[in-house]
Amino acid sequence: MSSWRRDFASGLVVLVPLIVILYVLSILYGAIVRIPGVDRLLEFPEPYAYLSEVFGFFVAIIIFLLLVLSVGYLMRTTAGRLLESGLDASMNKVPLVRVIYNASKLAVETALTGTEDLQKPVRLETWPGIRMTAFKTGKTTKDGKEIVFMPTAPNITTGFVMEVDPEDIEETGEKVEEALTRVLSAGFAEQDHVDEFDIEVTEESGDGRVPSNE
């Protein structure tokens, strides 16, 4: 890839998520302040018309928080879980939308819950000469096999739960975020991680003997 194309692609990677976030927030804000009753609440006489923007901002935040709490309570019910499953299935049918949807969902889950519960990423040789990324679950079977989860790309909400012999697992040395980024991007993300090896260097003296460390 030429230099200008690489720079253009890097710029898109940075700007597109920001533009999407700002666009969604502007649509959300406009929808909230136009709710019947809220629009009348934000009407002020001409000398104080500027207060409508100020109060509109705080009203939008309060309504948004109430909406989030209501949806969160709904997700604890059976109807909410069915609704979430249907929404996931619908989003994953659209080629471009499913990538943005899954990436946004993962980003929110990671930001709110952290990655402490996620185990180390590993590689498995599923077929001769072919390696796939999986994640340790921290669980083992009664016969000593490791239980790992191998997500599909770019939809990591589906995958395979596998029982693997420990000697068949290859540690990647990566962070969880690095491996998840590779899976979410379907392998198109730049890989900044390089496996590190500890190399011990010794110098020989003029008489051919290796000096001892004191």
Side-chain angles (χ1 to χ4, degrees), residues 43-120:
E43 291 180 356
F44 289 88
E46 184 57 34
Y48 307 100
Y50 68 94
L51 292 178
S52 61
E53 296 293 334
V54 178
F55 280 96
F57 175 76
F58 290 103
V59 169
I61 292 178
I62 294 174
I63 295 178
F64 178 74
L65 292 177
L66 292 176
L67 178 62
V68 170
L69 291 174
S70 301
V71 173
Y73 178 79
L74 178 63
M75 291 301 104
R76 294 165 53 186
T77 64
T78 303
R81 288 190 291 269
L82 292 175
L83 180 62
E84 183 181 12
S85 299
L87 180 61
D88 290 340
S90 301
M91 291 296 180
N92 288 321
K93 291 180 179 178
V94 185
L96 180 60
V97 173
R98 67 182 179 186
V99 177
I100 300 175
Y101 175 76
N102 289 313
S104 303
K105 190 173 183 179
L106 175 66
V108 173
E109 290 177 351
T110 303
L112 296 180
T113 63
T115 58
E116 293 80 3
D117 295 335
L118 298 176
Q119 304 296 318
K120 294 181 179 179

